[in-house]
């Protein structure tokens, strides 16, 4: 099963340092196409502006296509579809899922039922590993 990013603890110190090194290289050339041909879902179960747009911009700059939602009112979630069912269905269409959810543990639940990697973009007050990476990067400069 592919590696998801649910918690910063999912990665070793060496893996984190490698990610930070790769991020520095990407800063030099932000327009790359190594995700060309991939489709990534951005599923935002709660409001977000900066985080959602920063992910969508990064996905586009790396050459992938973005699908998803920023409001569950127009999804089957509004009719009672479970998180697990939403993730199982969406994972059939994409190569990765980026998600933000108001409930703690939602990302771990999603990763447990998804055949594609899940990136936790915040699950309540529990984890926000992508923000942690940004803070670490700024501390290392």
């Amino acid at each position: 099963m592919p590696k998801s990013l649910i918690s910063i603890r999912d990665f070793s110190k060496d893996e984190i340092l490698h990610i930070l090194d790769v991020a520095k290289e990407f800063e030099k050339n932000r327009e790359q196409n190594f995700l060309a041909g991939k489709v990534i879902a951005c599923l935002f179960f709660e409001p977000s502006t900066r985080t959602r747009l920063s992910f969508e911009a990064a996905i586009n700059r790396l050459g992938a296509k973005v699908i998803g939602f920023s409001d569950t009112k127009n999804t089957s979630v509004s009719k009672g579809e479970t998180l697990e069912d939403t993730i199982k269905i969406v994972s059939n269409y994409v190569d990765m899922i980026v998600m933000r959810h108001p409930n703690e543990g939602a990302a771990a639940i999603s990763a447990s039922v998804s055949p594609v990697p899940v990136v936790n973009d915040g699950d309540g007050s529990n984890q926000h590993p992508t923000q942690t990476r940004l803070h670490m990067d700024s501390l290392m400069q």
Side-chain angles (χ1 to χ4, degrees):
M1 185 177 284
K3 189 165 190 170
S4 292
L5 175 55
I6 304 305
S7 167
I8 198 66
R9 293 182 209 99
D10 292 341
F11 292 88
S12 69
K13 178 183 174 184
D14 288 340
E15 288 173 314
I16 292 169
L17 292 173
H18 176 70
I19 290 168
L20 293 174
D21 287 341
V22 169
K24 285 180 191 174
E25 289 302 312
F26 278 123
E27 298 242 342
K28 294 176 187 173
N29 179 13
R30 296 170 61 180
E31 302 290 332
Q32 299 193 29
N33 283 321
F34 81 91
L35 291 179
K38 303 291 183 188
V39 178
I40 298 175
C42 285
L43 308 182
F44 281 73
F45 292 85
E46 67 178 356
S48 171
T49 301
R50 289 175 298 279
T51 304
R52 181 178 60 82
L53 293 177
S54 68
F55 263 95
E56 289 181 7
I59 291 165
N60 280 294
R61 285 188 172 145
L62 296 174
K65 305 278 192 247
V66 178
I67 65 170
F69 55 81
S70 59
D71 185 345
T72 59
K73 290 180 198 163
N74 297 318
T75 71
S76 293
V77 171
S78 68
K79 299 187 293 184
E81 181 175 80
T82 67
L83 174 62
E84 293 92 330
D85 285 342
T86 299
I87 297 302
K88 287 177 187 175
I89 294 301
V90 171
S91 68
N92 289 311
Y93 309 132
V94 300
D95 300 290
M96 179 186 296
I97 296 171
V98 175
M99 65 175 286
R100 176 173 249 171
H101 199 284
N103 296 340
E104 290 184 18
I109 291 167
S110 298
S112 74
V113 300
S114 177
V116 300
V118 173
V119 174
N120 181 6
D121 207 18
D123 60 340
S125 61
N126 184 36
Q127 295 285 328
H128 202 308
T130 55
Q131 190 67 40
T132 302
R133 200 224 45 94
L134 290 173
H135 291 310
M136 290 171 59
D137 193 34
S138 67
L139 291 173
M140 303 215 23
Q141 294 185 15

